[in-house]
Amino acid sequence: MSDINTVVLTHERRPERIVKEGDSVVFVINNEPSKNIIEQNIRVNRKIKLFKKNSINTNDVIGIAYDSFLEFDSANNKFTVLDKNPEPEPTYSDEEEVVGDNKEIFDDNQAQNLTPAQIEELKKTMSGKDIVDHIVQNSKSFSGKTQFSQQKYLKKKKKKYMMFVKVVEPSAAVLCETYFEKKSDKICNMRLDALSQFLVLGNVFSHTQALIFETCSGLIYASALERMAPHGKIIRVAPDDSFRSHLNISQLINHPSEEVKNNMTIGIPFSYFGRAKATETLTPLNKQQEQEKSELLKATLTGSSKIYMCDSLLVATNHFDHTLLVDELWPLLQPSGSFVIYSSFREPLQALYSKLRADRSTMMMQLTETWMREFQVLPHRTHPQMRTSSASGYILSGIKVIP
Amino acid sequence: MDLFLFLLRPTPTLWTLALPHRTQILYNVDIGFIATMLRLKPGCRVVEAGTGSASLSHTMARIIYNSDSTNARRRGHLFTFEYHEQRFKDAREEFRRNGFDEQMITITHQDVCANGFENKVETQEQMKGSIDAIFLDLPKPHECIQNVDRLLRKGGRFCGFSPCIEQIQKTADALRKNDFIEIRTFEVLNKVYREEKVNFQVPDFTFIKEAPQPEPEDINMSETSQAKPSKKKDKNSGESVFGPVREMR
């Protein structure tokens, strides 16, 4: 017997997301984030360099579904959509116990019959897959290898001679991983697990108001937009001189749209905080909208309004003094609101921790670091990855209370 | 001694720390990572089994909550399944008391490995190809993967949580047989730092110090009658040092 009212959930099957002109797109190569290529604002009839000797024509990309694989078809000199995974991984039923070992294999560079020049010739006529097959046939040592060794060999050759790429829609997570591998200082070395902790400890949700200060090229702003759109408000604080810059990552996500982003965001430059405290009358700001914001900020700080009071305080930076920042922004955080302060350095967070503890203005305050390890899970070959990043950054989190 | 109480506004992260445990639960480290890897956002349609003590359920439901009730396509929903009857009832009651109504969460008393993901609100046929994310924390997740594959939309994501590596291996195998890609396995741990005040002694290199002589014991004194000089450290004096707490959990 149903003791709940029947809820009718009507939905259409989720439409496939298609690459549109003007979208930002991420090209994933070999599942290695360090090789990801980001193309902002994709336009027709352009070439994007993906491989050392090969570019992709944007016409091959626009109109296909995200999460598709594209392979280079040398016969037609274009990239075509594949209908299945080009690199399926082995399952237990494919594998028996390990057969053979490398006792008899001598690495003297004589195993391959084909010369590099011959292989270059093959590239002109054969498809990538056929080249790899040809190379395997001409390898004297291949049959003597263990099946795992053979798979590793094949994988290496495929990587070299077969060109395929996955087309992915940018999200804060993908961009975080990409930047972490390629330009980690642009995101204050924030690793993906630190970002995920940051969002959860900060209680970043829709229908809340969040106060954000960051120098991570817009990564935090983008993550918050994703978690809060369309119902949520973000008060973005920044120094006056870099107010419109250093937001690259937030411009790379296709959702929410520019219109929604603008509706959700209230930008407040540093100087407005100074204005709010000024005792003498100041000349009004040029734009009426800006003057209104300045007055509302003052009203909130003096307690006559709650309009800019926030449910979460999110700070992520390596470039500004954390204690001085938090000092200034603290009054805008609601009591019982959450705060998360991120830095890849522990010392400034320690100083802030000591200060907040002495002020007795927090509950459940914690200084944490997350440790992450990735594993390779393959039949008979499960082990932690050889390389693991050692540092994800530090997070000071807690709840504001009135002492 | 003064006792005091703070009343805090509930959040999913606080709920995870406060909820009554009916099973082992997921803590915020894993919850945060799962939410990011599954790309959860408002409007997502998510399937979860088993509900357990509903720790993860609360955070997921709060993330996917989208009050756009006019556009059903954008409305987020959590379909969660629990095969233990009492736990199912407890979770259902908790959802209700915590403000998650049936528009947000559909909890079903069912064993998904045996009977699939059918529920009162949508048939499996209706759910087919429409789910954005599926999370399984089950003893045998590999038995559900075919069903999981059917329900997920293209680009939809699966996450399995298992304490044992054998389960992970079987699940990875099942995912491969069903043509899943980007199969990755992670372990995340939280390292907490704690502040302590320490007085570092100044080493004295100038004088010869002899070890202090032990005090002669007076056999007639009882322990209780003699107040021992307090040796308690003054907690607020000294340098502030931070070190990790003993365990990473």
Side-chain angles (χ1 to χ4, degrees), chain B residues 31-72:
Chain B
I31 292 175
F33 195 67
I34 291 166
T36 295
M37 296 308 273
L38 287 180
R39 313 283 192 260
L40 296 186
K41 49 172 43 167
C44 277
R45 284 161 56 81
V46 180
V47 165
E48 175 195 29
T51 318
S53 308
S55 167
L56 176 65
S57 319
H58 276 80
T59 297
M60 289 208 291
R62 184 62 181 90
I63 294 176
I64 66 183
Y65 173 60
N66 187 342
S67 60
D68 252 336
S69 51
T70 47
N71 187 340

Side-chain angles (χ1 to χ4, degrees), chain A residues 9-10 13-14 17 89 92 166 196 203 206-207 336 354 367 369 371 373-375 377 382, chain B residues 9 13 36 43 62 67 72-73 75 128 132 153 169 173 176 182 184-185 187 189 191 193 195:
Chain A
L9 288 183
T10 52
R13 192 148 301 168
R14 307 295 242 196
R17 288 176 233 210
E89 285 171 340
Y92 269 100
K166 186 156 165 254
S196 66
N203 283 297
S206 60
H207 299 273
S336 215
S354 301
L367 179 56
E369 180 188 0
W371 183 90
R373 178 151 231 184
E374 188 165 1
F375 287 75
V377 176
T382 297
Chain B
R9 199 159 49 128
T13 30
T36 295
R62 184 62 181 90
S67 60
R73 263 174 60 194
R75 200 187 300 138
K128 196 166 122 173
D132 297 293
R153 63 163 173 86
Q169 287 172 313
D173 213 52
R176 287 193 187 103
E182 271 179 51
R184 298 171 81 177
T185 304
E187 184 187 1
L189 291 172
K191 193 166 165 180
Y193 289 88
E195 182 187 31

